[in-house]
Amino acid sequence: MIIDELNWKILKCLQNNARMSNAEIGRQVGVTSPAVSERIKKMEDAEIIQGYTTFVSPLDVGYQFKALITLSAFMGMLKPFLEKVKTYDEVVNCYRITGNENIVMEVVLKNQRHLQTFIDQLIIFGETKTQIVLSHVIKHSEVKPLK
């Protein structure tokens, strides 16, 4: 599917506010609500739009901090880890990466003891490195058209 300028305008509206009505998007981009609806449906069918979500503030629901943990998997432990990581409630994002580490995870934790317990669960799969997140510099940035 080709993403034309109008589709990019619609995507920009949705990335800024996924709850915006089709009528409001139509007013902002200069087309009718049914035209917006049809274009959104086509982008969903093509999996350009992969879903809609709510972002929850971990600090405001009781977590004390966020961390980035990288894992260098031991020989033969990457595949078991890739299955196990899906069961960890602490993990909000997990990426398989290139380089010396195999995995980078974004995790939310209640406190230092929770971090220690969580790392203890990981070390059977490989070596870990942990960085505590101090603040967000860019948060949920929109995907923009290629130049």
Side-chain angles (χ1 to χ4, degrees), residues 63 65-71 81 84-94 103-126 128-130:
Y63 291 97
F65 58 91
K66 185 180 282 191
L68 300 176
I69 300 176
T70 58
L71 177 85
F81 175 79
K84 183 66 175 171
V85 71
K86 297 171 187 173
T87 69
Y88 294 134
D89 292 338
E90 295 87 350
V91 178
V92 294
N93 283 301
C94 180
I103 299 291
V104 63
M105 294 169 280
E106 180 181 356
V107 300
V108 291
L109 302 146
K110 293 181 276 192
N111 52 40
Q112 189 172 348
R113 181 172 288 137
H114 187 189
L115 172 61
Q116 180 178 336
T117 302
F118 185 66
I119 290 172
D120 287 347
Q121 294 175 56
L122 298 177
I123 60 176
I124 64 170
F125 296 101
T128 64
K129 292 181 186 171
T130 303

Side-chain angles (χ1 to χ4, degrees), residues 7-75:
N7 281 349
W8 275 112
K9 289 179 181 178
I10 292 169
L11 287 171
K12 181 176 178 64
C13 289
L14 288 172
Q15 287 181 100
N16 289 329
N17 179 2
R19 297 182 71 185
M20 186 180 292
S21 71
N22 290 346
E24 179 57 30
I25 294 170
R27 281 190 285 279
Q28 289 191 22
V29 303
V31 296
T32 65
S33 177
V36 169
S37 180
E38 181 180 333
R39 283 176 173 262
I40 289 172
K41 176 72 171 116
K42 285 181 180 178
M43 288 189 283
E44 289 170 343
D45 290 345
E47 296 184 356
I48 292 164
I49 297 174
Q50 297 183 346
Y52 302 88
T53 189
T54 300
F55 296 109
V56 176
S57 168
L59 294 175
D60 292 329
V61 295
Y63 291 97
Q64 294 300 308
F65 58 91
K66 185 180 282 191
L68 300 176
I69 300 176
T70 58
L71 177 85
S72 297
F74 296 140
M75 185 68 69

